[in-house]
Amino acid sequence: MSEPGEPDQVSDAASYAVDGVVPANVVRPTSVEALSAALGDADAAGQAVVVQGGRTAVGIGNVPSRYGLALDLSALDQVVSLEPDDFTITVEAGMRVSALQLTLAAHGQFVPLDVAWAEQSTVGGLVARGRGGMRRGRFGSVRDWLIGTSMVLADGTSIKGGGRVVKNVSGFDLPKLFAGSFGTLGAIVQATFKVQPMPAVDVTIVHPCPNVQGAAELGLSLSRTRALDAAVALDPTSASATGLGDGSSAMLALRVAGVLEAVESELTALQDEISGSTPKASDPQAWQAISNLEASPGDNARGLLRLGGPVSIQHEVYQAALGAAGDDARVWGYADSGLVFVSLAADAIASVSTSLRERFRPQGLSVIVDAAPPELKAKLDIWGGSDEGLEIMREIKRRFDPKATLSPGRFVGEI
Amino acid sequence: MLGKRAVLWRTEDLLVYEYDGTIDRGAPQVIAFPKNAEEVSATIKIARRYGLPVTPRGAGTGLSGGALAMRGGIVIAMNRMRRILEIDVENRTALVEPGVVNLDLGSAAAPHGLAYAPDPSSQRACTIGGNVAENAGGPHTLAYGTTTNHVLGLEIVTADGEIHWLGGPTRDVPGYDLVGCVVGSEGTICVVTKALVRLVPKPESVKTMLAIFDSVRQASSAVSAIVSGGIVPAALEMIDQQTIAAVEPVLHTGFPLDAEAVLIVEVDGGEAQVEAEAAVVERVLRQKEPREIRTATEESEREKLWAGRKGAIGALGRIEPNYYLLDGVVPRTKLPDVLDEVYRIAERYGLPVANVFHAGDGNLHPCLLFDERDPGVTERVLDAGAEIMRVCVDAGGAISGEHGVGAEKRSFLPWIFTDDDMAAMKGLRAAFGADDDFNPCKIFPGGHGCGEGQIGFQQRQIEQFGPDAHV
């Protein structure tokens, strides 16, 4: 055991590889001061740093152009402040998302954010990704629940933004800037969330459909009239992988939660529209399994595309993705918020991502290559963003991380 | 270039743009009324050529001095950019120009069964552009969030006159969340020329309750109890006796004049949900021993309650001609203690104080009432305001919940942020190309030519009730 404040020197650098690039050094600080010192030193020495936690999403992005130091935040995993009566919680970035939820559950609360591999994934990683999951149609994404953050900039300077109150326009909203910045602006060391009371009742309904695009269409139309927490369309393979089907048909999985009377009334209304489906008490493991489809940590053999567009084009996106991605592709998505995932063979990533971008760019479809074999990445456009706002983003990067120390080259426009 | 009718420069025309309902003043030399992003860009470029500061302005209802031209120059007013360009029913979004009045967007969405969730009390006057600048809230932010939760994309003009699109139809656009950076930046980063906003389905059912209390402390502790009861109401508002005294004789909302405080609690959603949640709210309220709980059964009764709430600030003019609105936020559980302290401070300074605020969010709005013609009173008001702000900060809170720091509260920013925090924020602003000539003397203390501490000690009398008085 090292003394508090002393960084743990971890010898096994290979296990900190990012896209096959192995860092020269690894530091796992046990205090923010130690983290700040390690980061500041690396910056001064011109050593590139990849900040990481549970490493479930560290593969997202371009191959790092340089990588000298792995900064592992997983030892910073404490609750800083738990205020159940104020419905807020502040935790260190290295805390596992599942631990955050367990801490809150003891008080009948939760953060309505879903993340793949919640038992490994850290809060810092959740914020750095900044995304919403299967319940985002109802609850939004990380940015909508994050009310404050503390960060350490590349030169070791500690800063913060936001606060611990649920409503705040005091100074610029730095938490929004850092949510979804993929570790390119600073190390997120603390996060404060507003939280929700847990619903009294949480029910799952699984409904077989002829195909995944049909499941998505039905899910979308139900979500327009009913109060749903989630409406997930799964192709037969994904349905069986999550334990929600036997692989013989596509599935629509609905989640309905709230006070008992409200849930009962929703279920009655839903029964009229999807007769024959049996509601059952929600199975958290099945929902986590659906989230887990979003990432395969440590396995980059296949490609994963994340397609986000307006719901009005969702059906066409499914059709186009299914048509282009080949027979062994898996396709699923969150039907009420227009998010579609495609898991496909590595050699299909380039052509499928390009054709989807070309076809749906005018309607605002974003196509992000979330996973790909590292050796292919150099030839792929991982983020696929337009140039809109890119100069401003580059200038932000220059001001927050002037030496391009943090995850250099990995983000949009090779930021 | 914009045409003669699109520019004001005569002293008498400029006068009205010196005010925004705060104590501060700022007199522009010119007001420009561009009608699109290109004209905003051209105006900004002219200003730069002549070294004139630029200040964007919506309806001027922000109440923190955000729309004031603190160092003169050109005010870019959004009055001619007030078209709703598209309501996309399928995707539940609307594309609007910044001068669109908040309530007009709501009215345009309503026939489609949709609503624009942020509903500031000034919604009959305030504009979407101003709402974006201040990250405006309103009574229904408790369940629905503030403006930032509802803006997906923005067309902006930067301080060097460049036009950009930020964000897009979904939150999936890769890159930094520049939309999130601009919302709430109080018009100090760029001028917003279009906004793509989310619309939400109108709830199937709504129930509004009025709980009448004989003590402020009982009422404020009921606020925490309701939320701890496992229900997040759509709105949870508190109105104290001083406010009732101003509102009731004018708006006849049925708030008892002898009540110490009333709470307005609203739940919405599906019918079964509303019935069940209303029952929970009522049970929790009863434990706090209110004098009476009334439930609005008719839509007209609901509207009356909300008219009383939203017209409250305007009605304060009945008591004293001027008010100074504070916008502190505290953790909800600190409300009872902080409110006690607010009353003590006001009493010590000999100032009447009216509290009407978003209790569920912990967002206080103490309004210090005064008559600017009384010698020395403005200084006392500002001192008392500073003390109240300090109490909020000491309770773990913030100095603004929805009105912005503006010109008025900027000297308090160092109470919550370090020099490094503020340097990072200024770096963000600079990355957008904004310099000290772009909406100067806002948010951050200091600044060239800002005349720290030289706040104009005058405020125009509120001429009539309702938020329109401040336009």
Side-chain angles (χ1 to χ4, degrees):
Chain A
M1 275 301 281
S2 58
E3 292 297 311
E6 287 289 305
D8 274 349
Q9 291 296 335
V10 183
S11 51
D12 185 16
S15 63
Y16 288 89
V18 173
D19 285 334
V21 185
V22 177
N25 300 305
V26 177
V27 175
R28 186 168 176 265
T30 53
S31 71
V32 174
E33 293 70 31
L35 180 155
S36 171
L39 186 50
D41 288 349
D43 187 59
Q47 204 175 30
V49 178
V50 175
V51 181
Q52 50 206 289
R55 293 182 53 83
T56 57
V58 79
I60 300 176
N62 300 310
V63 177
S65 57
R66 297 174 290 123
Y67 182 19
L69 173 69
L71 196 52
D72 177 352
L73 266 58
S74 61
L76 297 169
D77 63 351
Q78 299 300 301
V79 174
V80 178
S81 160
L82 171 63
E83 306 292 347
D85 291 336
D86 291 325
F87 280 62
T88 60
I89 187 169
T90 304
V91 299
E92 289 185 316
M95 174 175 264
R96 310 286 159 171
V97 175
S98 59
L100 167 70
Q101 300 288 25
L102 268 177
T103 306
L104 290 167
H107 301 276
Q109 298 176 347
F110 76 120
V111 184
L113 296 170
D114 301 289
V115 67
W117 308 103
E119 300 209 342
Q120 286 100 293
S121 184
T122 60
V123 169
L126 175 77
V127 173
R129 257 168 293 176
R131 293 171 167 178
M134 72 180 81
R135 283 181 285 188
R136 71 175 196 163
R138 164 110 190 242
F139 291 111
S141 53
V142 168
R143 73 194 295 287
D144 299 305
W145 296 91
L146 183 71
I147 56 175
T149 45
S150 300
M151 302 72 92
V152 175
L153 300 180
D155 66 0
T157 306
S158 287
I159 62 164
K160 65 178 180 304
R164 291 185 187 176
V165 284
V166 299
K167 196 174 174 191
N168 199 344
V169 245
S170 312
F172 294 150
D173 198 342
L174 295 181
K176 295 274 187 307
L177 176 63
F178 276 74
S181 63
F182 282 86
T184 60
L185 294 177
I188 296 154
V189 294
Q190 269 183 22
T192 304
F193 297 93
K194 60 175 178 176
V195 305
Q196 280 277 104
M198 266 190 173
V201 185
D202 191 347
V203 170
T204 302
I205 308 168
V206 183
H207 182 71
C209 294
N211 51 45
V212 65
Q213 63 271 43
E217 219 174 0
L218 179 60
L220 174 60
S221 89
L222 292 174
S223 76
R224 300 284 106 163
T225 53
R226 309 300 348 148
L228 304 177
D229 270 21
V232 182
L234 298 156
D235 69 2
T237 318
S238 311
S240 94
T242 53
L244 289 168
D246 59 9
S248 63
S249 72
M251 288 284 178
L252 172 64
L254 303 175
R255 193 165 182 177
V256 181
V259 293
L260 177 65
E261 295 85 346
V263 172
E264 278 175 343
S265 139
E266 289 299 327
L267 292 179
T268 309
L270 283 167
Q271 286 296 315
D272 294 341
E273 300 184 61
I274 47 168
S275 56
S277 307
T278 329
K280 54 178 186 181
S282 217
D283 173 2
Q285 275 177 336
W287 291 107
Q288 184 61 54
I290 293 173
S291 282
N292 290 353
L293 296 173
E294 288 180 41
S296 310
D299 173 15
N300 283 325
R302 286 171 68 82
L304 178 66
L305 307 183
R306 192 179 199 271
L307 317 176
V311 291
S312 58
I313 62 166
Q314 179 167 253
H315 192 68
E316 287 171 77
V317 170
Y318 269 100
Q319 298 284 24
L322 287 161
D327 289 341
D328 80 328
R330 284 189 288 134
V331 180
W332 72 98
Y334 307 145
D336 57 338
S337 64
L339 201 54
V340 183
F341 295 92
V342 183
S343 164
L344 72 181
D347 58 10
I349 301 171
S351 62
V352 176
S353 58
T354 306
S355 72
L356 289 172
R357 281 171 187 155
E358 282 171 1
R359 173 154 171 212
F360 293 109
R361 183 161 309 207
Q363 290 105 311
L365 183 73
S366 298
V367 178
I368 298 172
V369 180
D370 255 14
E375 61 276 16
L376 292 185
K377 280 192 172 182
K379 284 177 251 151
L380 294 169
D381 182 356
I382 299 291
W383 297 99
S386 69
D387 289 342
E388 208 59 77
L390 190 56
E391 260 324 298
I392 298 170
M393 293 182 202
R394 288 197 170 121
E395 191 56 36
I396 292 172
K397 171 72 174 180
R398 275 194 284 272
R399 287 173 181 273
F400 280 76
D401 178 17
K403 294 178 166 179
T405 296
L406 293 157
S407 288
R410 301 205 71 202
F411 201 33
V412 295
E414 296 185 354
I415 279 172
Chain B
M1 179 196 53
L2 307 188
K4 228 179 202 169
R5 287 169 54 209
V7 180
L8 293 178
W9 69 94
R10 290 195 189 91
T11 313
E12 63 270 28
D13 293 334
L14 299 180
L15 203 57
V16 72
Y17 290 88
E18 283 181 32
Y19 307 91
D20 78 338
T22 47
I23 290 174
D24 282 310
R25 295 264 289 277
Q29 276 106 37
V30 180
I31 324 240
F33 297 90
K35 62 178 192 297
N36 53 42
E38 289 71 26
E39 290 191 0
V40 170
S41 167
T43 307
I44 287 176
K45 285 176 177 165
I46 289 171
R48 284 186 81 83
R49 194 184 311 148
Y50 295 99
L52 291 169
V54 166
T55 305
R57 181 180 176 107
T61 57
L63 300 177
S64 68
L68 298 179
M70 299 302 289
R71 274 183 23 223
I74 301 183
V75 161
I76 300 182
M78 296 305 169
N79 306 44
R80 293 209 307 163
M81 297 174 68
R82 52 197 319 157
R83 287 178 302 163
I84 295 171
L85 299 170
E86 189 190 7
I87 295 212
D88 180 342
V89 176
E90 206 177 353
N91 292 308
R92 292 179 173 169
T93 58
L95 181 65
V96 302
E97 291 184 331
V100 168
V101 170
N102 176 293
L103 191 62
D104 292 345
L105 174 56
S107 307
H112 306 288
L114 299 171
Y116 180 61
D119 62 337
S121 295
S122 58
Q123 70 185 139
R124 285 191 293 139
C126 68
T127 58
I128 300 298
N131 291 175
V132 169
E134 304 302 334
N135 188 15
H140 290 85
T141 62
L142 183 56
Y144 289 92
T146 54
T147 301
T148 193
N149 306 110
H150 297 276
V151 179
L152 292 169
L154 293 171
E155 182 190 69
I156 62 159
V157 182
T158 60
D160 35 29
E162 283 178 25
I163 302 168
H164 296 280
W165 254 106
L166 312 179
T170 68
R171 294 267 186 236
D172 300 305
V173 180
Y176 299 135
D177 183 0
L178 299 182
V179 169
C181 295
V182 170
V183 179
S185 65
E186 307 195 30
T188 65
I189 281 182
C190 58
V191 182
V192 169
T193 49
K194 279 187 191 124
L196 179 68
V197 299
R198 289 173 57 214
L199 301 173
V200 296
K202 272 177 98 80
E204 192 180 290
S205 176
V206 184
K207 200 164 208 171
T208 311
M209 284 165 277
L210 180 72
I212 298 154
F213 287 90
D214 290 322
S215 109
V216 169
R217 215 175 161 90
Q218 261 174 304
S220 56
S221 70
V223 170
S224 271
I226 289 168
V227 184
S228 300
I231 303 288
V232 181
L236 180 41
E237 301 282 303
M238 185 163 149
I239 301 167
D240 76 352
Q241 189 173 36
Q242 185 71 268
T243 314
I244 294 171
V247 173
E248 199 46 36
V250 196
L251 296 167
H252 311 292
T253 38
F255 303 150
L257 283 165
D258 61 341
E260 284 293 324
V262 299
L263 293 181
I264 298 178
V265 193
E266 185 161 284
V267 289
D268 69 9
E271 214 160 296
Q273 180 196 349
V274 166
E275 288 306 318
E277 292 192 351
V280 174
V281 168
E282 191 168 336
R283 196 177 65 231
V284 175
L285 279 172
R286 292 256 175 249
Q287 290 165 359
K288 297 293 172 184
E289 297 173 344
R291 182 199 299 180
E292 191 187 345
I293 299 174
R294 296 181 198 159
T295 303
T297 45
E298 303 284 326
E299 180 59 22
S300 59
E301 291 176 88
R302 245 198 94 231
E303 280 171 10
K304 216 171 183 182
L305 287 178
W306 281 116
R309 165 61 187 91
K310 293 192 174 180
I313 302 271
L316 295 176
R318 272 183 66 83
I319 299 175
E320 290 284 354
N322 305 98
Y323 66 83
Y324 181 58
L325 176 136
L326 297 156
D327 179 34
V329 200
V330 297
R332 197 186 291 122
T333 50
K334 300 281 179 16
L335 270 181
D337 289 347
V338 169
L339 271 175
D340 280 353
E341 198 55 40
V342 166
Y343 287 113
R344 268 199 292 272
I345 292 168
E347 200 182 335
R348 186 147 37 81
Y349 281 89
L351 294 164
V353 63
N355 280 288
V356 46
F357 64 100
H358 314 303
D361 291 314
N363 186 187
L364 294 156
H365 287 327
C367 294
L368 298 169
L369 308 178
F370 63 105
D371 183 339
E372 64 179 11
R373 291 165 299 191
D374 294 347
V377 72
T378 310
E379 290 86 339
R380 265 195 298 144
V381 166
L382 292 171
D383 288 348
E387 274 198 42
I388 290 171
M389 286 282 95
R390 185 71 217 191
V391 167
C392 293
V393 169
D394 289 344
I399 60 173
S400 171
E402 56 182 7
H403 290 263
V405 176
E408 208 170 69
K409 279 93 181 178
R410 64 199 189 100
S411 46
F412 309 140
L413 200 66
W415 286 349
I416 46 177
F417 291 117
T418 65
D419 287 349
D420 286 336
D421 300 340
M422 290 188 283
M425 291 175 189
K426 288 176 181 172
L428 172 63
R429 179 169 184 243
F432 278 79
D435 58 19
D436 279 350
D437 281 341
F438 190 81
N439 202 352
C441 312
K442 308 287 164 67
I443 303 179
F444 302 103
H448 158 73
C450 295
E452 197 72 16
Q454 305 217 332
I455 299 164
F457 287 154
Q458 286 184 46
Q459 187 189 18
R460 171 170 288 188
Q461 182 169 329
I462 299 159
E463 288 160 76
Q464 49 186 298
F465 307 118
D468 305 45
H470 316 303
V471 179

